[in-house]
Amino acid sequence: MSYIIDWELYIPHLMSGYIPMIPVLLLYFFVLRMKGKKQTFAHVILTFVFCFYLFGILTMTGIWWFKSFSPRLVLVPFVDMVRGPIDTVLNVLLFMPLGFFLPILYQKFGKMREVVFAGFLISLSVETVQMFGCGATDINDLITNTVGAGLGYGVYLLLYKMIPSTWVKA
């Protein structure tokens, strides 16, 4: 399997998602300010980074490339994890930032179960939408992505004391 990224294919899709996101986020923060909810500069920057990360997940998993409904389903767990450990590791790494960012940016993600459940739901959404685009809907991806979100939360817990309070959602 080749892991070379075709940047000519991805760059237009990266830019088409990221550029429209900027005014949407600016509007979001304007509305928050109008409601009296002040945000620190560090928190705003982290929110932008987090949104870029989420768009990156959508782009790298093929969500932007819709075709007709033609599902390729892999429903037997763990078999391909042993055959292709690189994909397993990459899927875990892909979702670790999710588990790290959620508790920093949002108070309601202060516990492991909330972060893992969010990771599961986002991964399930990606896997479901992949039935309409490129990629395969794979139970192993769902498992490894969810584990990645949980590990990201573990990293958050390890680094919690070092995270400046201005970054954390008050």
Side-chain angles (χ1 to χ4, degrees):
M1 222 184 243
S2 175
Y3 291 99
I4 297 173
I5 296 175
D6 183 0
W7 288 108
E8 288 181 18
L9 178 65
Y10 285 109
I11 287 178
H13 300 291
L14 290 170
M15 297 310 294
S16 68
Y18 292 140
I19 291 174
M21 181 188 63
I22 293 170
V24 169
L25 282 174
L26 291 174
L27 178 64
Y28 168 73
F29 285 115
F30 177 75
V31 169
L32 285 178
R33 182 171 282 273
M34 296 307 291
K35 289 184 172 185
K37 296 180 180 180
K38 295 182 180 179
Q39 305 291 317
T40 65
F41 181 72
H43 190 267
V44 170
I45 295 300
L46 278 179
T47 302
F48 271 89
V49 170
F50 182 60
C51 287
F52 284 129
Y53 160 74
L54 291 176
F55 268 95
I57 285 178
L58 297 178
T59 301
M60 298 313 265
T61 57
I63 298 302
W64 49 266
W65 187 22
F66 286 100
K67 298 187 298 189
S68 63
F69 181 73
S70 57
R72 290 184 298 152
L73 303 173
V74 179
L75 300 175
V76 179
F78 307 115
V79 173
D80 288 336
M81 287 184 192
V82 176
R83 287 188 203 147
I86 293 174
D87 287 338
T88 300
V89 171
L90 291 175
N91 279 330
V92 169
L93 291 175
L94 179 67
F95 269 69
M96 282 181 70
L98 181 74
F100 183 78
F101 275 112
L102 284 177
I104 291 175
L105 295 173
Y106 306 102
Q107 281 182 349
K108 65 181 172 183
F109 292 103
K111 295 186 177 160
M112 172 76 86
R113 72 174 173 256
E114 285 102 5
V115 171
V116 169
F117 188 60
F120 171 79
L121 289 178
I122 291 170
S123 180
L124 181 63
S125 299
V126 166
E127 295 303 317
T128 302
V129 172
Q130 280 183 334
M131 286 192 270
F132 297 91
C134 67
T137 299
D138 191 337
I139 188 72
N140 297 308
D141 292 351
L142 183 64
I143 293 167
T144 54
N145 294 344
T146 304
V147 167
L151 288 174
Y153 183 78
V155 170
Y156 162 77
L157 290 177
L158 289 173
L159 300 177
Y160 177 73
K161 299 246 187 245
M162 294 186 289
I163 298 171
S165 60
T166 58
W167 290 14
V168 180
K169 177 72 174 139

